[in-house]
């Protein structure tokens, strides 16, 4: 197997010797530090170490150390550079274990190359791919989009839009506010904007002539009840504070069927340490009362690994969809779409600013297309959809005033 070792006093010297021996045609498989001599193992406090490089050298390279026709590898003393050391095995065929290890190292190296090297796309899609990568879209999602794009015909931009629609339509929440009373509940960690999201939806509901009421279980955050009470006063909507499932049931029975939409705010918690089930228990009476949907609210600025862990914490608690806030505060919201399309939760709403009630839009393939590909900030992209009906009521116009 064409695998060689290079050693040097430090990394710079080892790399220089590798370049001198094989140019830029060899591939680095592994680098490590090791004792410089057997005495270094006996006297470790002296700190005498050297750097060893494991290289993959394609067949046919000059100076690659293989005696033509012999099948043997030349020893270190036979090279012009004393720092270039070969394996010293007399016959590769007689050391099947070493060969298998070298093959495994080579396989892993090729896999790492495949992961790091993004595919090259042709035509108009190549420039779009660069923009989508800059917006945080992963290679797997990008490749799936390209597969759909290739099957489309016509204008390139129209092809891309149809690919977006085909790829993202299954990842968009399809719930509607129907004839019977509906509860929309918001859960999630602290500071992601649950109360502001609720206020935006409440404002849009009132503008559409809907009969709205507000519930809150957020008794932990200072002034949270007062904040929501001010929103309720402005909207002319009743509000109640609840702490237990029994209180939730009592309030909903009191409101009866007069309120077609109840928006339920919960307290933000550190759900990496606390059980989400305690919060979700509050929603049980709502599901018995009417149509009820539970939304996990997360920020687009959160780390992908944290979002993955958060989704896992809520996986068994009957969430319906995802609300993505602070989209205007990041340039790379694409990592969230990767999680959505992997089957975690469909995307319901995107919040793109602090203005109540209009900096909130219903998720759709059209919105995602504008968000990822249109020039300008995310808030402008969301603003183009501010008149769309965020509730998708049966028989209602898609936009206000139409």
């Amino acid at each position: 197997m064409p695998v060689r070792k290079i050693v040097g006093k430090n990394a710079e010297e080892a790399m220089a010797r590798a370049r001198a021996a094989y140019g830029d045609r060899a591939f680095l498989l592994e680098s490590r530090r090791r004792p410089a001599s057997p005495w270094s193992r006996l006297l470790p406090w002296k700190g005498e170490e050297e750097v060893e490089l494991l290289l993959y050298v394609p067949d046919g390279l000059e100076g690659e150390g293989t005696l033509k026709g012999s099948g043997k590898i030349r020893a270190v003393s036979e090279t012009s550079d004393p720092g270039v050391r070969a394996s010293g095995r007399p016959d590769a065929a007689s050391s099947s274990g070493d060969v298998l290890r070298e093959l495994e190292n080579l396989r892993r190296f090729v896999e790492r190359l495949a992961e790091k090297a993004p595919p090259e796309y042709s035509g108009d899609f190549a420039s779009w791919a660069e923009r989508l990568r800059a917006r945080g879209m992963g290679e797997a999602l990008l490749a799936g989009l390209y597969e759909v794009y290739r099957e489309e015909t016509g204008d390139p931009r129209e092809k891309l839009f149809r690919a977006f629609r085909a790829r993202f339509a299954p990842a968009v929440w399809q719930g509607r506010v129907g004839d019977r009373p509906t509860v929309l509940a918001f859960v999630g960690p602290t500071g992601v904007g649950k109360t502001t999201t609720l206020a935006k939806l409440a404002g849009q509901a009132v503008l559409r002539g809907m009969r709205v009421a507000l519930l809150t279980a957020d008794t932990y955050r200072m002034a949270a009840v007062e904040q929501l009470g001010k929103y309720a006063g402005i909207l002319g909507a009743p509000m109640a504070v609840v702490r237990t499932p029994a209180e939730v049931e009592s309030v909903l029975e009191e409101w009866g069927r007069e309120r077609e939409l109840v928006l339920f705010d919960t307290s933000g918690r550190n759900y990496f340490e606390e059980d989400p089930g305690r919060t979700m228990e509050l929603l049980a009476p709502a599901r018995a009362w009417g149509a009820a949907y539970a939304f996990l609210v997360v920020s687009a600025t959160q780390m992908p690994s944290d979002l993955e862990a958060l989704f896992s914490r809520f996986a068994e608690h009957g969430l319906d969809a995802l609300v993505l806030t602070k989209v205007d505060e990041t340039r790379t919201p694409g990592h969230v779409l990767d999680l959505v399309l992997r089957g975690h939760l469909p995307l319901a709403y995107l919040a793109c600013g602090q203005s109540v009630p209009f900096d909130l839009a219903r998720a759709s393939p059209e919105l995602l297309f504008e968000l990822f590909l249109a020039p300008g900030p995310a808030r402008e992209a969301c603003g183009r959809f501010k008149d769309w009906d965020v509730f998708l009521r049966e028989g209602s116009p898609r936009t206000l005033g139409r």
Side-chain angles (χ1 to χ4, degrees), residues 105-375:
N105 286 334
L106 182 57
R107 182 188 66 80
R108 291 177 181 173
F109 171 69
V110 172
E111 286 180 350
R112 290 197 298 269
L113 281 181
E115 291 173 358
K116 294 179 180 180
E120 294 184 2
Y121 299 105
S122 59
D124 295 298
F125 196 88
S127 59
W128 290 326
E130 289 304 310
R131 178 165 179 79
L132 292 171
R133 287 190 185 108
R135 299 289 282 162
M137 186 174 289
E139 292 301 327
L141 183 52
L142 196 57
L145 193 65
Y146 182 64
E147 288 300 315
V148 181
Y149 173 84
R150 287 197 308 172
E151 300 298 323
E152 298 288 343
T153 59
D155 177 74
R157 189 173 179 83
E158 285 298 318
K159 286 172 57 179
L160 185 61
F161 172 71
R162 290 195 296 270
F164 252 77
R165 185 167 55 193
R167 193 77 180 89
F168 292 115
V172 170
W173 184 60
Q174 301 298 326
R176 292 174 177 268
V177 176
D179 295 331
R180 61 179 183 149
T182 301
V183 178
L184 304 183
F186 304 89
V187 301
T190 59
V192 294
K194 293 185 296 298
T195 303
T196 303
T197 298
L198 182 148
K200 292 174 181 178
L201 283 170
Q204 294 202 32
V206 169
L207 287 175
R208 294 177 181 279
M210 300 173 69
R211 301 184 304 277
V212 182
L214 307 182
L215 267 180
T216 181
D218 189 1
T219 57
Y220 293 88
R221 184 167 56 92
M222 186 177 296
V225 174
E226 289 79 1
Q227 178 187 3
L228 196 61
K230 290 180 180 179
Y231 284 134
I234 293 171
L235 298 172
M239 188 196 83
V241 181
V242 293
R243 295 175 179 83
T244 66
E247 291 179 353
V248 174
E249 183 178 9
S250 176
V251 170
L252 293 178
E253 287 179 354
E254 180 182 343
W255 285 339
R257 304 293 173 178
E258 296 180 0
R259 299 293 161 179
E260 59 185 307
L261 181 65
V262 176
L263 299 172
F264 192 172
D265 190 19
T266 64
S267 60
R269 299 295 186 91
N270 178 4
Y271 287 113
F272 295 130
E273 299 180 357
E274 298 190 32
D275 181 11
R278 298 182 60 184
T279 299
M280 299 302 292
E281 286 176 358
L282 293 172
L283 309 185
R287 296 188 187 278
W289 181 72
Y293 302 102
F295 298 134
L296 176 61
V297 184
V298 300
S299 168
T301 61
Q302 289 178 261
M303 294 291 291
S305 58
D306 290 339
L307 290 176
E308 186 93 46
L310 189 62
F311 291 166
S312 298
R313 293 285 289 167
F314 277 93
E316 299 178 358
H317 294 285
L319 290 173
D320 295 286
L322 185 72
V323 176
L324 186 62
T325 64
K326 304 184 182 183
V327 178
D328 57 315
E329 296 181 23
T330 178
R331 295 182 179 181
T332 56
H335 66 275
V336 181
L337 292 185
D338 282 333
L339 295 176
V340 168
L341 283 172
R342 273 189 272 161
H344 287 287
L345 285 172
L347 187 59
Y349 298 106
L350 289 88
C352 303
Q354 296 296 315
S355 177
V356 177
F358 286 121
D359 281 347
L360 183 80
R362 177 76 181 241
S364 67
E366 293 87 350
L367 171 57
L368 295 175
F369 183 82
E370 290 288 322
L371 181 65
F372 279 90
L373 289 166

Side-chain angles (χ1 to χ4, degrees), residues 17-173:
R17 288 176 169 173
R19 283 191 291 268
Y22 305 115
D24 58 358
R25 293 167 293 177
F27 297 91
L28 178 63
L29 296 177
E30 185 180 359
S31 64
R32 63 184 180 184
R33 291 187 175 276
R34 69 178 197 183
S37 69
W39 292 107
S40 300
R41 295 187 179 92
L42 298 175
L43 306 172
W45 58 85
K46 301 189 86 174
E48 295 180 356
E49 289 185 328
E50 61 187 5
V51 174
E52 177 185 89
L53 306 180
L54 186 64
L55 304 173
Y56 167 67
V57 182
D59 289 329
L61 286 187
E62 292 296 329
E64 38 100 19
T66 300
L67 298 178
K68 298 186 181 297
S70 69
K72 297 182 179 180
I73 298 174
R74 188 168 57 196
V76 177
S77 60
E78 297 174 12
T79 64
S80 58
D81 188 337
V84 180
R85 301 182 183 176
S87 301
R89 289 187 294 273
D91 193 339
S94 66
S95 304
S96 59
D98 292 336
V99 171
L100 290 175
R101 281 193 293 272
E102 291 177 357
L103 281 172
E104 179 64 16
N105 286 334
L106 182 57
R107 182 188 66 80
R108 291 177 181 173
F109 171 69
V110 172
E111 286 180 350
R112 290 197 298 269
L113 281 181
E115 291 173 358
K116 294 179 180 180
E120 294 184 2
Y121 299 105
S122 59
D124 295 298
F125 196 88
S127 59
W128 290 326
E130 289 304 310
R131 178 165 179 79
L132 292 171
R133 287 190 185 108
R135 299 289 282 162
M137 186 174 289
E139 292 301 327
L141 183 52
L142 196 57
L145 193 65
Y146 182 64
E147 288 300 315
V148 181
Y149 173 84
R150 287 197 308 172
E151 300 298 323
E152 298 288 343
T153 59
D155 177 74
R157 189 173 179 83
E158 285 298 318
K159 286 172 57 179
L160 185 61
F161 172 71
R162 290 195 296 270
F164 252 77
R165 185 167 55 193
R167 193 77 180 89
F168 292 115
V172 170
W173 184 60

